[in-house]
């Protein structure tokens, strides 16, 4: 049900209220869809890849008529939905607006917009793209069937050429659309979402077929040339978040430092009081906070340190800022790619052991407590994974975090596991600060120089995480 999928994306609420206050006049959207039997309809809008609720109204099920009279709408891309799903999208190039749309429930690809050149062209574009996407979907399904049935490259190549031809047609249609309707709001959105064209003397590929690094560098520098960050209308659509993600994945090296530079470059183009700036800072912070990509912690800390402060993000409440700072502080001491914080502990025979003296291509660092019930459940499986890779050079250091030294020593001797079991008889080490060793067990993977490759690896995913390193 669409209504259950409409998300109120909390990070945007504050600045949306600010923008709403600028436009108190009512907009009227009249819709007649013959055959529409839903009793209620919803008016919504797009911000990035999220859907937001603006208004709802009853439907006259005998005529299919419905009317939205809504205040505080901002220009951008909108949709009308019923509980079964979205009926159609449309544009408001300015507000307050007076728009009328007519159509048929069984032919929503033939909508009519009265006295709105913007939506007449937009509906044409939407219909064409939906048709071509459906055609491409059928071709891909056929391609998969052919690939399962034969290894004949000529047959597969023929199908690939057909799909390529459809994609070329779609690109040409979009180019012609932009040329034919240069002043429409939707055209400006399309133009902003299209990659810039590099000079002819900077090709994508070199003569040997390799990607041209000069091309990638040029694209990274000029990627946003078609975007007007001073026009907030260009932000309110379902195109912009994909554009931002493409910038960071296609034209930015997959290294945390490169990503931080790329983020700073685009954010610097955005006015500090704009919807672009506020959304980008919050969206990217959340994206890298929750990312499963190991070096994402470096990007997250950079975003918090650079942007998440009362002066740079005044729309955020103090509790959110404190939460972000607390999370960043946890990461700073053990950032992926940095050397692991030093450890000098005592093994079960009373001998001091330093982490940096363990010679191995990879080292597992496991923080646990014999008194932890969850550890008792997980440690045997962790140990089995370790033993399975020990012959390939994996070593492991199991660190007892409990201050009951005598209990641990008896436990370690009883278990007699073939890894380094160590503890701190002095009780002076605080493993939580340098290693975020809470919610035990906590597992790190270190390289030969004891730099952090992965951290806080879930025990159930340990083998899956380790396998790629040893398959090299």
């Amino acid at each position: 049900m669409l209504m259950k999928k409409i998300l109120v994306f909390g990070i945007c609420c504050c600045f949306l209220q600010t923008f709403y206050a600028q436009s108190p006049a009512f907009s009227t959207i009249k819709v007649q869809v013959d055959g529409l039997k839903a009793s209620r309809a919803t008016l919504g809008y797009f911000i990035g890849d999220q859907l937001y609720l603006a208004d709802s109204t009853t439907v006259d099920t005998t005529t299919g008529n419905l009317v939205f009279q809504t205040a505080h709408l901002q220009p951008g891309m909108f949709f009308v939905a019923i509980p079964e799903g979205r009926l159609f999208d449309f544009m408001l190039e300015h507000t307050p607006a007076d728009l009328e749309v007519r159509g048929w429930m069984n032919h929503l690809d033939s909508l009519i917009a009265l006295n709105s050149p913007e939506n007449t062209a937009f509906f044409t574009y939407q219909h064409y793209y939906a048709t071509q996407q459906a055609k491409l979907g059928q071709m891909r399904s056929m391609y998969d069937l052919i690939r399962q049935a034969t290894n004949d490259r000529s047959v597969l190549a023929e199908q690939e050429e057909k799909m390529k031809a459809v994609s070329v047609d779609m690109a040409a249609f979009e180019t012609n659309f932009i040329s034919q309707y240069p002043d429409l709001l939707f055209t400006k959105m399309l133009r902003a979402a299209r990659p810039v064209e590099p000079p002819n003397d900077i090709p994508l590929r070199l003569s040997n077929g390799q990607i041209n690094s000069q091309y990638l560098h040029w694209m990274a520098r000029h990627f946003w040339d078609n975007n007007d960050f001073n026009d907030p209308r260009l932000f309110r659509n379902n195109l912009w978040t994909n554009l931002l993600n493409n910038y960071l994945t296609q034209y930015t090296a997959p290294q945390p430092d490169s990503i931080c530079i790329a983020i700073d470059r685009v954010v610097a183009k955005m006015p500090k009081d704009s919807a672009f700036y506020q959304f980008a800072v919050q969206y990217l912070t959340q994206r890298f906070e929750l990312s499963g990509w190991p070096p994402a912690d470096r990007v997250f800390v950079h975003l918090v340190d650079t942007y998440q402060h009362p002066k740079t993000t005044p729309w955020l409440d103090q509790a959110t800022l404190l939460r972000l700072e607390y999370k960043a502080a946890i990461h700073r001491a053990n950032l992926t790619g940095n050397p692991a914080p030093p450890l000098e502990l005592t093994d079960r025979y009373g001998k001091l052991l330093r982490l940096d003296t363990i010679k191995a291509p990879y080292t597992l660092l496991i923080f646990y407590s014999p008194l932890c019930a969850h550890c008792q459940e997980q440690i045997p499986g962790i140990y089995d994974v370790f033993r399975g890779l020990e012959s390939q050079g994996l070593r492991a250091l199991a660190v007892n975090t409990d201050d009951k030294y005598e209990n641990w020593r008896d436990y370690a001797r009883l278990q007699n596991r073939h890894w380094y079991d160590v503890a701190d008889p002095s009780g002076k080490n605080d493993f939580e600060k340098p290693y975020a060793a809470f919610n035990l067990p906590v597992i790190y993977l270190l390289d030969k120089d004891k730099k952090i490759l992965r951290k806080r690896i879930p025990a159930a995913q340990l083998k899956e995480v380790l396998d790629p390193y040893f398959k090299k």
Side-chain angles (χ1 to χ4, degrees), residues 296-359:
D297 59 343
R298 304 186 75 92
V299 183
F300 170 70
V301 169
H302 172 78
L303 286 163
V304 173
D305 291 346
T306 308
Y307 302 106
Q308 300 290 358
H309 305 285
K311 290 184 178 180
T312 53
T313 53
W315 63 90
L316 282 183
D317 59 87
Q318 186 68 15
T320 300
L321 290 173
L322 288 174
R323 184 193 68 79
L324 291 171
E325 173 53 34
Y326 173 77
K327 186 77 173 284
I330 290 174
H331 283 300
R332 284 192 193 97
N334 48 73
L335 288 172
T336 303
N338 282 3
L343 282 174
E344 186 174 29
L345 302 167
T346 302
D347 68 14
R348 60 189 179 184
Y349 304 106
K351 179 181 177 182
L352 279 176
L353 177 68
R354 290 207 326 262
L355 173 63
D356 59 2
T357 62
I358 298 175
K359 305 301 181 184

Side-chain angles (χ1 to χ4, degrees), residues 459-471:
Q461 299 174 18
L462 182 58
K463 188 176 188 307
E464 178 185 347
V465 169
L466 293 182
D467 278 349
Y469 293 96
F470 289 89
K471 286 181 179 177

Side-chain angles (χ1 to χ4, degrees), residues 14-32:
C14 294
F15 70 82
L16 289 174
Q17 291 172 1
T18 301
F19 292 131
Y20 285 165
Q22 300 172 359
S23 180
F26 281 81
S27 295
T28 302
I29 295 98
K30 298 179 181 178
V31 179
Q32 181 187 15

Side-chain angles (χ1 to χ4, degrees), residues 31 38 58 68 84 147 153 182 186 190 197 222 262 291 345 349 359 361 370 384 404 412 424 453-454 457 459:
V31 179
T58 57
F68 296 103
E84 289 75 19
R147 188 171 56 181
R153 274 302 310 166
F186 181 64
L190 280 180
E197 292 292 336
H222 296 274
S291 173
L345 302 167
Y349 304 106
K359 305 301 181 184
D384 288 344
K404 304 291 185 180
D424 176 21
L453 295 174
R454 302 291 295 268
I457 306 169

